[in-house]
Amino acid sequence: MTSRSPLAPVPSTRRPSLTLAAVVFAVGVALVVGGWWGASGASSLAAQIPSLNIAVAGLVVSLVGSTVYLLDFRRQLNPRLQRLTAQEEET
Amino acid sequence: MELLTWCRLQWDRALAVAAMTAGVVMVLIGWIGVSGTPFVAKQVPYIISGGIGGLVLLVVAATLWLSADLNDEWRALDALDAKVLGVESDQAAVAALEERLRVLELLARLPQGEPTPAPVPTGGVRQRRAPGPRATAS
């Protein structure tokens, strides 16, 4: 079993792009606006239910996009933090 | 003026504050709209635009603020990495100087009259015989 030296080059990490999260948020907002558009044009509650579902789907898309972005950011930060901690323990 | 500077430097946190304010306002507008009519079919659009739309804006605000925190952490790690790299290069320079000093000490211990050896490159240390009494020819 080989263990990587703390002074070895750290595997390349990239900072997650906020642009991708912004695109997901835009999709979520578009779904909410579409749901509102559909619900405001319907006169009965039964006809509004599909639009309400679309709006809820928009909220879920936004939540998933936010969670994935933040978790990816944290996952990129952890190896760098562990490498620096290992160096600190070695010295 | 300071607020503008802060907004330019901390654009993500400024956007988060704006989104949070807009989200709270939208939720309030939705609540006012829903409470103003007894018909469910008229309340649903307010629920969607005010309630769900406001929640989406609050999610965006939280994400932007947490992203700003994570970006700060990333920059702090960049600074720490740069410091560690500087320490490593300093240690290499100190090791080279110590090696050179050891070579010079060995040269100084050589007995007088012995021909001076060729200069030793600093890249490596040659093993030398320890100075001692010379054997005399009888």
Side-chain angles (χ1 to χ4, degrees):
Chain A
M1 193 178 80
T2 59
S3 63
R4 198 169 63 85
S5 163
L7 294 179
V10 68
S12 64
T13 55
R14 52 164 183 78
R15 199 192 306 212
S17 164
L18 188 59
T19 311
L20 193 60
V23 169
V24 176
F25 283 138
V27 170
V29 169
L31 285 173
V32 172
V33 170
W36 171 76
W37 188 269
S40 61
S43 55
S44 69
L45 179 63
Q48 286 175 333
I49 294 299
S51 303
L52 184 61
N53 288 337
I54 289 174
V56 172
L59 176 62
V60 171
V61 165
S62 301
L63 276 173
V64 169
S66 163
T67 307
V68 168
Y69 169 72
L70 292 174
L71 285 181
D72 188 31
F73 211 141
R74 175 52 62 190
R75 199 163 42 238
Q76 299 298 328
L77 271 172
N78 274 344
R80 304 186 65 194
L81 202 57
Q82 285 170 0
R83 177 175 175 267
L84 284 170
T85 309
Q87 281 178 341
E88 177 66 24
E89 285 172 358
E90 191 170 85
T91 57
Chain B
M1 196 64 188
E2 286 181 4
L3 181 66
L4 283 179
T5 309
W6 183 83
C7 286
R8 203 177 65 245
L9 292 176
Q10 306 271 344
W11 61 269
D12 35 13
R13 287 193 171 93
L15 270 180
V17 170
M20 192 171 60
T21 309
V24 169
V25 168
M26 281 187 73
V27 169
L28 280 176
I29 288 175
W31 173 68
I32 291 171
V34 166
S35 62
T37 176
F39 304 110
V40 178
K42 280 191 174 179
Q43 288 174 341
V44 170
Y46 282 111
I47 291 173
I48 293 176
S49 62
I52 298 178
L55 280 179
V56 168
L57 280 177
L58 289 176
V59 168
V60 169
T63 305
L64 280 171
W65 194 276
L66 289 174
S67 169
D69 287 348
L70 290 171
N71 272 314
D72 286 349
E73 201 171 331
W74 189 278
R75 280 189 286 268
L77 286 179
D78 278 347
L80 280 176
D81 264 342
K83 266 188 186 173
V84 167
L85 284 179
V87 168
E88 284 175 6
S89 62
D90 286 350
Q91 284 173 345
V94 167
L97 283 175
E98 284 176 346
E99 191 176 338
R100 178 72 182 150
L101 180 63
R102 205 164 56 238
V103 170
L104 289 175
E105 283 175 355
L106 285 173
L107 284 174
R109 282 184 203 154
L110 283 176
Q112 296 291 328
E114 192 168 289
T116 310
V120 180
T122 56
V125 179
R126 292 192 306 192
Q127 294 293 325
R128 292 179 185 280
R129 183 172 51 86
R134 305 179 90 179
T136 54
S138 56

